[in-house]
Amino acid sequence: MVADNGKKSKVAERGEEDSDHVDGELVLSIEKLQEIQDELEKVNEEASDKVLEVEQKYNEIRRPVYVKRNEIIQSIPDFWLTAFLSHPALSDLLTEEDQKIFKYLVSLDVEDCQDLKSGYSIIFNFSPNPYFEDIKLVKTYSFTEEGVTNITGTTIKWKEGMDIANGNGHEKKGNKRPFAEESFFSWFGETQQKNFSDGVTDEVAEIIKEDLWPNPLKYFNNEADEEDFDGDEDDEEKGSEDDEDGEQDDDDEDDDEDDS
Amino acid sequence: MVADNGKKSKVAERGEEDSDHVDGELVLSIEKLQEIQDELEKVNEEASDKVLEVEQKYNEIRRPVYVKRNEIIQSIPDFWLTAFLSHPALSDLLTEEDQKIFKYLVSLDVEDCQDLKSGYSIIFNFSPNPYFEDIKLVKTYSFTEEGVTNITGTTIKWKEGMDIANGNGHEKKGNKRPFAEESFFSWFGETQQKNFSDGVTDEVAEIIKEDLWPNPLKYFNNEADEEDFDGDEDDEESEECLLQNFGLPFLGHLQDSKYFMGSEDDEDGEQDDDDEDDDEDDS
């Protein structure tokens, strides 16, 4: 055992010297590595800034195109309602009552802050209607430097007996169709602070901003194709009345009608 | 009822005229809307291209920095092993046997295709070792235009009796610690085609590429801080003692690390009287 002890001591001594030596080198290497990481971080920040610049530039380019688009949409009745109802996720969010309210929806707008970083707003513009006083319902997302998202939304000025977002109104019409239970308009009241690290996001906002807003026509067309412009300028009743009475249209228009 | 019929007829007629008129206008509006969408699509493609250009440019700038970084890492024993074991997700992927193999890991490299769009490779460089013939294990992800991802990986030339990725080796050591059941090296054999729309991705690859590779030092440091260079260069026996005491798997590899000195001293009670001890934290 003595031999072993002696050997261990030598190893220990050499270990100490090596330890000093190696620890010193190690510390130095780790410091150099930290410098490299700092250098990489600077490069990455620069890259992020440049990418943001590009995105800001193209956002400016898109703005007037969206304005033009909105004008054209004005000539298409119930455009946004149809697009909503044709969207696989959004259609589930509208109750029967919501759909009636959406008939008064004039336009949808998604506006980014100019710097893109600070946030954005989703704006629903309505014509005067029997449901609420507002003509503009807005939900806003503001991002702070610390990674917090502040969410604010219009407090809807419901007319008397119309507050379907909070329980009034005619919700219980029987459950023949898979309508949402809760009014879509309660979404404007869902305002809170979220931490970026929570990972929880406002899915409805994301879907509207990232999916519907860039190209609502592709959703609108799904439904328009099915109907082939089959006649919703009238209300639902009249349209079916014509068919019910057997008064067939002899015009050429009929050739386009697809009862698919 | 006659009056009604008459009225309906007039409505029907007017409806037809309006229908022609409105349908025509409607069709026109939708066509104009489609043109706008086409215009937007062009703008969006241009934006994507410009963003890609920026990212390609900065990827080129980063390349030589990564080369420099790799040189420095060569002076830090078991750097990548330590970083792996300090990473909350990756540490769960290494079996005890894997960790021994990782002692031979010389460097890790993540290389993007130059255009960034076509894919990337994750490369593990090993020194000659008793486990397999290869000195380079690679997993490659290639993206096609159609949105398909082709995944290829090195078929490891395991030495005899060493194929732990496929069942050989010494896996059943008892389950005292939460080691992975399956060898990490089976990951190289998980090659398949994936469709982008499937949404299923190779999480390990993503974690290595997006999280570990950009800054492995932050993970390495977590562990180095806790240990404060406290560990051991000894064999498994002391390793097992410590592990039984603390039940902490991550200490295991540190026992084997060349640069962690002094556990024998500690066990024998032969304390170091140097100033170095002032730095030792038994936290």
Side-chain angles (χ1 to χ4, degrees):
Chain A
M1 288 302 130
V2 172
D4 279 340
N5 274 343
K7 184 176 169 193
K8 274 183 187 163
S9 303
K10 281 192 195 151
V11 166
E13 280 173 18
R14 211 194 60 202
E16 284 166 34
E17 286 168 13
D18 281 350
S19 181
D20 289 359
H21 180 65
V22 174
D23 275 352
E25 273 193 16
L26 187 59
V27 168
L28 197 67
S29 293
I30 293 179
E31 279 175 12
K32 283 199 256 178
L33 185 49
Q34 185 61 60
E35 284 171 22
I36 291 262
Q37 290 298 150
D38 294 340
E39 191 180 334
L40 280 170
E41 195 178 321
K42 257 198 269 174
V43 173
N44 291 341
E45 276 176 22
E46 214 180 286
S48 291
D49 288 345
K50 290 281 186 287
V51 167
L52 188 64
E53 269 178 41
V54 171
E55 288 176 346
Q56 285 165 351
K57 169 183 167 189
Y58 280 86
N59 225 48
E60 297 262 333
I61 292 175
R62 279 185 281 253
R63 242 2 258 167
V65 183
Y66 284 134
V67 171
K68 232 188 328 174
R69 182 175 80 172
N70 190 40
E71 286 168 17
I72 296 170
I73 283 174
Q74 299 306 300
S75 328
I76 305 172
D78 298 324
F79 176 81
W80 287 111
L81 169 59
T82 310
F84 250 78
L85 289 175
S86 314
H87 189 287
L90 296 174
S91 55
D92 294 338
L93 302 180
L94 297 188
T95 65
E96 209 180 338
E97 202 72 9
D98 289 339
Q99 289 183 43
K100 293 185 186 166
I101 304 180
F102 263 54
K103 303 279 290 165
Y104 295 91
L105 179 60
V106 168
S107 68
L108 180 69
D109 198 10
V110 175
E111 276 183 25
D112 286 285
C113 284
Q114 202 158 15
D115 66 354
L116 288 186
K117 290 192 297 184
S118 310
Y120 63 95
S121 290
I122 300 178
I123 304 148
F124 289 71
N125 295 300
F126 289 85
S127 52
N129 63 82
Y131 297 93
F132 40 73
E133 306 286 349
D134 315 80
I135 57 167
K136 204 186 199 53
L137 299 183
V138 186
K139 202 160 181 199
T140 302
Y141 301 80
S142 308
F143 311 133
T144 68
E145 289 282 330
E146 300 83 37
V148 175
T149 303
N150 287 317
I151 306 176
T152 55
T154 309
T155 305
I156 304 176
K157 299 186 197 66
W158 293 98
K159 292 186 175 171
E160 193 154 332
M162 291 299 174
D163 189 350
I164 60 175
N166 291 315
N168 288 357
H170 321 102
E171 286 312 320
K172 314 211 169 180
K173 277 201 160 174
N175 283 330
K176 286 185 208 159
R177 315 179 197 111
F179 284 131
E181 297 280 320
E182 191 186 22
S183 167
F184 170 76
F185 292 90
S186 58
W187 176 65
F188 293 95
E190 286 159 22
T191 59
Q192 67 214 101
Q193 260 197 12
K194 284 189 199 282
N195 242 314
F196 182 67
S197 54
D198 286 348
V200 179
T201 50
D202 188 328
E203 278 191 35
V204 175
E206 279 194 13
I207 293 172
I208 294 176
K209 177 181 199 290
E210 306 293 343
D211 197 17
L212 182 71
W213 175 252
N215 190 353
L217 181 58
K218 85 176 181 223
Y219 294 107
F220 176 89
N221 274 339
N222 274 350
E223 183 154 306
D225 279 348
E226 282 176 33
E227 298 199 3
D228 217 24
F229 314 128
D230 235 358
D232 287 336
E233 58 158 337
D234 299 327
D235 59 20
E236 287 167 29
E237 241 189 354
K238 268 196 200 154
S240 49
E241 265 199 67
D242 286 345
D243 291 339
E244 276 176 39
D245 290 344
E247 283 178 39
Q248 292 296 323
D249 217 342
D250 285 335
D251 271 9
D252 288 345
E253 301 313 307
D254 266 354
D255 296 341
D256 295 337
E257 272 178 32
D258 238 352
D259 289 326
S260 52
Chain B
M1 288 304 127
V2 172
D4 280 340
N5 274 342
K7 185 175 170 196
K8 271 181 192 167
S9 302
K10 282 192 197 154
V11 167
E13 279 173 20
R14 212 193 61 204
E16 285 167 34
E17 285 168 13
D18 280 351
S19 183
D20 288 356
H21 179 66
V22 173
D23 274 352
E25 273 192 16
L26 189 59
V27 168
L28 197 66
S29 293
I30 293 179
E31 280 174 6
K32 283 200 256 178
L33 185 49
Q34 185 60 62
E35 285 172 22
I36 291 265
Q37 290 298 151
D38 294 340
E39 190 180 334
L40 280 170
E41 196 178 321
K42 258 198 268 179
V43 172
N44 291 341
E45 276 176 23
E46 215 179 285
S48 291
D49 288 344
K50 290 279 186 287
V51 166
L52 188 65
E53 269 178 42
V54 172
E55 288 176 345
Q56 285 166 351
K57 169 186 168 186
Y58 280 87
N59 225 48
E60 297 260 333
I61 292 174
R62 277 185 282 251
R63 241 4 257 167
V65 183
Y66 284 134
V67 171
K68 232 191 325 177
R69 183 175 80 171
N70 189 41
E71 286 168 17
I72 296 170
I73 283 174
Q74 299 305 301
S75 329
I76 305 172
D78 297 324
F79 177 80
W80 287 109
L81 169 58
T82 310
F84 248 78
L85 289 174
S86 313
H87 189 287
L90 297 174
S91 55
D92 294 339
L93 302 179
L94 297 188
T95 65
E96 206 180 340
E97 202 72 10
D98 289 340
Q99 290 182 41
K100 292 184 190 167
I101 304 180
F102 264 54
K103 302 280 291 162
Y104 295 91
L105 179 61
V106 168
S107 68
L108 181 69
D109 197 12
V110 175
E111 277 183 24
D112 286 285
C113 284
Q114 200 158 15
D115 67 354
L116 287 187
K117 290 193 296 184
S118 310
Y120 63 95
S121 291
I122 299 178
I123 305 149
F124 289 71
N125 295 299
F126 290 85
S127 51
N129 63 84
Y131 296 93
F132 40 74
E133 306 286 350
D134 315 81
I135 55 166
K136 203 185 197 66
L137 300 184
V138 186
K139 202 160 181 198
T140 302
Y141 301 79
S142 308
F143 312 132
T144 68
E145 290 280 329
E146 301 83 39
V148 174
T149 302
N150 287 317
I151 306 176
T152 54
T154 310
T155 305
I156 304 176
K157 300 185 195 67
W158 293 99
K159 292 184 174 171
E160 192 153 335
M162 291 299 175
D163 190 349
I164 60 177
N166 292 314
N168 289 358
H170 320 103
E171 287 311 322
K172 313 211 167 178
K173 274 202 163 175
N175 283 331
K176 287 182 208 162
R177 319 168 198 123
F179 282 131
E181 298 279 321
E182 192 187 20
S183 167
F184 170 76
F185 291 90
S186 57
W187 176 65
F188 292 95
E190 287 160 21
T191 59
Q192 67 215 97
Q193 260 197 12
K194 283 188 200 283
N195 241 315
F196 183 67
S197 55
D198 286 348
V200 178
T201 48
D202 187 328
E203 278 191 35
V204 174
E206 279 193 12
I207 292 171
I208 293 176
K209 178 181 199 288
E210 307 291 342
D211 198 15
L212 183 70
W213 175 253
N215 189 352
L217 181 58
K218 86 175 181 226
Y219 293 106
F220 176 89
N221 275 339
N222 274 352
E223 186 156 305
D225 279 347
E226 281 178 34
E227 289 294 319
D228 219 20
F229 313 127
D230 228 1
D232 305 313
E233 58 166 339
D234 293 337
D235 61 15
E236 277 173 41
E237 220 189 347
S238 40
E239 165 190 338
E240 269 177 357
C241 286
L242 261 176
L243 290 169
Q244 278 160 9
N245 287 338
F246 301 109
L248 295 170
F250 71 80
L251 286 175
H253 80 283
L254 291 173
Q255 310 290 334
D256 296 334
S257 280
K258 294 186 275 285
Y259 67 93
F260 284 155
M261 312 283 170
S263 68
E264 266 202 63
D265 293 345
D266 293 339
E267 273 180 44
D268 291 343
E270 282 177 40
Q271 291 297 322
D272 217 341
D273 285 334
D274 273 4
D275 288 345
E276 303 309 307
D277 264 356
D278 295 340
D279 295 336
E280 272 178 30
D281 239 350
D282 288 327
S283 51

